[in-house]
Every structure is written in structure tokens, then in C-alpha cells.
Amino acid sequence: MAFRFTTAGESHGPGLVAIVEGMPAGLELDRAALDRDMARRQLGHGRGGRMKIETDSVEVRSGVRHGRTLGSPIALLVANRDYANWEERMNPWPVDAEIEEVHLPRPGHADLVGMQKYGFRDGRNVLERASARETAARVAAGTLARSFLSAVGVEVRSHVLQMASVRSPEPPMDLAPEAFDGVDEDPVRCLDPEASAAMVAEIDRLRKANESLGGVFEVRAFGLVPGIGSHISWEDRLDGRLAGAIASIQSIKGVSVGEAWDVAGRPGSEAHDEIFHSPERGYYRETNHAGGLEGGMTNGQPLLVRGAVKPISTMTQPLRSVDTETKQPAQALRERTDSTVVPAAAVVGEAMVCLVLARAYREKFGGDSMDDVLAAIEHYKRRIDWR
Ligand code: EPS
């Protein structure tokens, strides 16, 4: 069965659901690790009041028995604690109460076009699903993909490179996975302590000015064998899948692979990663401009992907909009909100990269059980003499 996942759920509804299909049987899952990823997504200086209400935890409803996958679809449930405060407004069934509608679409949010497209007078019918709360379900699904990848020797890490106009120094292309240890303890998940302090100060400064902040994060994956993805068809090119997956995260406006935008301005001689071979190492490279992908396939180098996050579109000092009932000028909806979600978006980026890589590994190596998967990978590594 093909590896795939879907999510369901509204931000202030009863809860979120993720269903993951196509995991092999016999994968050992660590319950604590699932909740650890959920907690990492809630971190970051600049989040709002909602994160004090939620303590996200994953409940496994199917597909796992005594800590191991069964090969059947895995259903995951993440409760919305805030639903207790929204039971009337978000009840799946009619309620005996006057419910206020949202008629003030926020520029940058899905509100207006969603109301037009789906024929709603109440913007809440759109914004509840468009909300980045949905990413909790993606991270839940991503934890399963991460467990699978970890069993095949792949590790996925992330960090924040830029917060509004504050940029950290460019990290080296050859960072080891261990360089990311402790990044979750940093208030903005930045690897550079000086830049981190400047980012925190910038969040505080702009928050006081009623502004929201965007930024840039990077996800790196280590331990990939060469040949994941394929040059054969556009749908199988891994760069395309990764870009699509990252761009599908709420608030993302740009994706890059390797030194993308910089490479575009260089001569070819400075853009590519020359190929070497030694009896000890086999094939190897001394640079990684390509970010670990050539011809839509992993080349055995670390994978480097970045996402550009726009500032959150719910503003404490709302932008100009129009009342959809009266068509008169009005200020956009004002709601409790975060100042920035860039540190959280990096964790969601990890989840999406894990899900894309797990799918591509499942396609390449098949297998109904983990033993089958591991045997297929071993065979392949021997064939291409990969160490
Ligand atoms: C969000 C608005 C805020 C965020 C929410 C996404 O929620 P609320 O309107 O309840 O304050 O906190 O993100 C989450 C709840 C989450 O878990 O990430 C939005 O409008 O997108």
C-alpha cells in the first residue's frame, strides 16, 4: 500500500485527526517521542495565549499494538482543550444560542476567498480549518514518519535562520546532526546565541508595536542513501515533492533547496559539487551547493531545505478590510494571536520533510514488514557500494 496521510479538524473544534497509511508492520514506536515532537511544535518566543491552554498529546486509535505498527492504517487523535471554551460556537450540531458571525476578513488569511468560494456568510467556517492549528495533526503524522526514518538511519533536524530582518550567520553546509542538539532549548530555535538574543529582542519590539513577524527556517536530513526520488517523472522528483510539502504549510511563501537563490547568480563552475572517489570512502563530494539533491534524487549528501514564513495575518492592530455584510470599509477581524510562529514552523517543516522522505523510501524499498524494508536497503547499499 502506498504511503500517504491526511488530516482533519478545526482549530477550536473538538479535536484534530491524522490518518497515516502504508507504514510497514513491526516498526517500534516510542510513546514519549510522539509527545516530545508535539511539545516541540508548541515552543518558541512569540506565541500567544492559546499555547497556555493546549498541551498537545497524541492518542493512537488504531494500527499499533503493544508499541509496534500492524501495517494497518494508523489513526491519531489530538484533542483541542480550548474546545471546552468554544462548545457552543463550534458544536457539530445545532445549538440553542445566538452565535456571532465573522464578517471582517483578514488580509493575508483564507477568510475572504474561502467565503466566496464555499458560499459562506460566516468567515469562521473558513478560518477554523485554514488555521495553523492543523499543523498539530501534521506533526503527529510526522512523528510516525520520523520513527520509520530513524529505523533506516535517517535523522531530520531544523533551526531558525531569520526572524523578521534579523539573520543568523550562515551555518556551515557540513554541520553534523549533533550540532542541532539543544536547539529546542533556545527561545527561537536558533543555533547562534547572539542572533537568537537579537531575534528575541526584535519579537518583543515588534510585538509592542502591534506587528507580527515572519522569517526563514531550515530543515536538514542526514543519513539518506543516494537514489531516493527519481529523475524519471516530474511527480517523482524529490525536490518537487519537498517544495510542495513545505509550501503547503500555513504562512509559507517560499521554499529553497541547497544554496538555491545564491547559486542562481553564480557561474556554473562555482555552482556544482565536484565528484571524487577513494577506496575508503567510495564516491564523495567536498561541497553541498545542491543541498543533497541532483536530478530529483538524493545524492547521499545531507538534504538542505528552507522555508520562508510570512508574518502572521491576524494583527493586533488590524489592517483595512471590508465588512462582507455591509460592503463598508472596516478593520479586519481582531483575535487572540501569536506574534510569530517561525520556530514552530521549523518543527512543522521537519514533519513534512519526514513524511515526504518516508513516502519515497516506502516507494523505493517496499516491504510489508520492517525486516523486509531493512533487508532491501542493505541489498541496495551493497549493490551501489554505499558506506
Ligand atoms: C491560529 C491562531 C491562534 C494560534 C493557532 C493558529 O489560535 P487562537 O486563535 O486559538 O489563539 O495559537 O495555533 C494553534 C492553536 C496551534 O496549535 O498552533 C490561526 O489563526 O492560524
Side-chain angles (χ1 to χ4, degrees), residues 158-170:
S158 74
H159 66 115
V160 170
L161 267 166
Q162 184 177 335
M163 181 68 74
S165 60
V166 181
R167 274 195 80 88
S168 80
E170 269 302 311

Side-chain angles (χ1 to χ4, degrees), residues 152-285:
V152 300
V154 176
E155 270 191 70
V156 178
R157 303 296 195 100
S158 74
H159 66 115
V160 170
L161 267 166
Q162 184 177 335
M163 181 68 74
S165 60
V166 181
R167 274 195 80 88
S168 80
E170 269 302 311
M173 283 289 157
D174 59 353
L175 284 182
E178 298 73 47
F180 294 80
D181 291 349
V183 75
D184 292 322
E185 275 83 71
D186 183 82
V188 285
R189 308 195 64 255
C190 176
L191 291 174
D192 184 84
E194 237 173 82
S196 164
M199 288 177 185
V200 169
E202 189 65 349
I203 294 169
D204 293 342
R205 186 180 77 78
L206 286 171
R207 180 158 50 187
K208 278 199 199 97
N210 289 314
E211 287 288 1
S212 59
L213 301 79
V216 177
F217 65 80
E218 182 179 61
V219 178
R220 297 194 183 196
F222 303 91
L224 294 157
V225 293
I228 302 300
S230 175
H231 65 292
I232 294 281
S233 90
W234 70 269
E235 291 163 301
D236 297 334
R237 285 185 172 255
L238 205 59
D239 347 35
R241 287 191 187 181
L242 287 163
I246 297 284
S248 79
I249 300 170
Q250 292 81 343
S251 294
I252 299 292
K253 282 300 203 185
V255 185
S256 64
V257 177
E259 293 174 353
W261 300 99
D262 289 341
V263 155
R266 284 182 213 158
S269 58
E270 293 164 31
H272 302 293
D273 305 303
E274 291 179 302
I275 302 170
F276 305 95
H277 188 275
S278 76
E280 306 77 48
R281 295 174 66 182
Y283 292 111
Y284 69 95
R285 317 290 176 112

Side-chain angles (χ1 to χ4, degrees), residues 283-311:
Y283 292 111
Y284 69 95
R285 317 290 176 112
E286 291 185 337
T287 53
N288 189 11
H289 306 303
L293 292 175
E294 286 174 313
M297 294 172 277
T298 55
N299 63 5
Q301 295 257 81
L303 176 75
L304 314 181
V305 188
R306 290 181 182 184
V309 186
K310 71 179 178 183

Side-chain angles (χ1 to χ4, degrees), residues 103-105 121 321-331:
H103 299 143
L104 303 171
R121 285 180 67 163
S321 182
V322 169
D323 185 315
T324 51
E325 291 294 301
T326 65
K327 310 290 188 284
Q328 292 303 305
Q331 288 200 323

Side-chain angles (χ1 to χ4, degrees), residues 12 41 47 50-51 82 109 131-133 335-336 338:
H12 303 96
R41 194 197 66 91
R47 304 263 0 225
R50 178 77 185 270
M51 289 305 101
D82 207 14
H109 217 282
S131 163
R133 173 74 187 150
E335 283 214 319
R336 173 184 65 191
D338 306 310

Side-chain angles (χ1 to χ4, degrees), residues 11-12 16 41-42 47-51 53-54 56 80 82 86 106 109 124 127-128 130-136 250-251 312-314 335-338 341 344:
S11 180
H12 303 96
L16 302 161
R41 194 197 66 91
Q42 296 198 268
R47 304 263 0 225
R50 178 77 185 270
M51 289 305 101
I53 298 172
E54 307 293 344
D56 291 334
N80 287 329
D82 207 14
W86 287 75
R106 291 158 293 176
H109 217 282
R124 185 155 300 285
L127 70 87
E128 284 287 334
S131 163
R133 173 74 187 150
E134 185 260 349
T135 61
Q250 292 81 343
S251 294
I312 289 175
S313 45
T314 310
E335 283 214 319
R336 173 184 65 191
T337 184
D338 306 310
V341 289

